[in-house]
């Protein structure tokens, strides 16, 4: 009888690996980033990668940012398309109207076109824009 329970346990563990629970399958884990991919004196592109979030094909990358870690009230939002055939999705958001030589604090999230969250929120990070040439 113990062998039956052992075999059943292995079967269940394998099934969970092949068919993860919906929360994990929804892609609500950041696997890379967020990082500032490019910054100019007045703009920045922030990118990050999650597991494929499922849901609508159109998603929005959202950055909450500001010049104080306690006040990230500015919001930038950029559309991103999901490829159903890929295991991961890379999000990018463009921040514009930044001030040269200024340190910005930010955190990111993503949502579906219908407004449903992907369940992803990054830690707060920071970057400094270059001084004007």
């Amino acid at each position: 009888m113990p062998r039956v329970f052992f075999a059943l346990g292995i079967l269940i563990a394998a099934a969970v690996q092949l068919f993860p629970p919906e929360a994990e399958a929804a892609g609500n884990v950041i696997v890379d980033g967020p990082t500032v991919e490019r910054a100019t004196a007045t703009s920045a592109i922030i990118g990050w990668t999650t597991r494929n979030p499922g849901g609508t094909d159109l998603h929005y990358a959202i950055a909450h940012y500001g010049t104080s870690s306690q006040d990230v009230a500015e919001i930038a939002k950029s559309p991103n398309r999901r490829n159903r055939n890929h295991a991961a999705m890379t999000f990018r958001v463009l921040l514009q109207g930044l001030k040269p030589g200024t340190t910005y604090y930010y955190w990111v999230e993503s949502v579906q076109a219908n407004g449903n969250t992907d369940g992803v929120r990054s830690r707060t990070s920071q970057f400094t824009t270059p001084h004007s040439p």
Side-chain angles (χ1 to χ4, degrees), residues 11-132:
L11 212 75
I12 291 171
V16 167
Q17 291 297 317
L18 291 173
F19 306 101
E22 188 60 36
E24 277 193 46
N28 58 0
V29 176
I30 294 178
V31 296
D32 186 34
T35 59
V36 176
E37 295 180 348
R38 181 167 189 233
T40 69
T42 60
S43 68
I45 297 173
I46 299 172
W48 67 98
T49 302
T50 71
R51 295 181 190 165
N52 191 320
T56 62
D57 286 345
L58 177 62
H59 285 251
Y60 290 95
I62 301 173
H64 301 261
Y65 66 99
T67 56
S68 163
S69 62
Q70 306 305 310
D71 182 18
V72 288
E74 298 293 323
I75 296 175
K77 183 177 177 179
S78 296
N80 290 246
R81 282 258 169 222
R82 176 177 77 96
N83 184 328
R84 296 175 185 210
N85 298 319
H86 291 177
M89 179 170 177
T90 298
F91 290 90
R92 288 187 175 86
V93 61
L94 173 63
L95 285 61
Q96 298 181 84
L98 305 179
K99 296 176 185 171
T102 303
T103 298
Y104 287 90
Y105 298 84
Y106 69 93
W107 61 270
V108 299
E109 65 177 328
S110 59
V111 299
Q112 297 178 42
N114 59 16
N116 292 341
T117 181
D118 289 334
V120 173
R121 179 184 167 160
S122 73
R123 68 195 182 286
T124 300
S125 299
Q126 70 182 59
F127 69 97
T128 302
T129 54
H131 292 280
S132 294

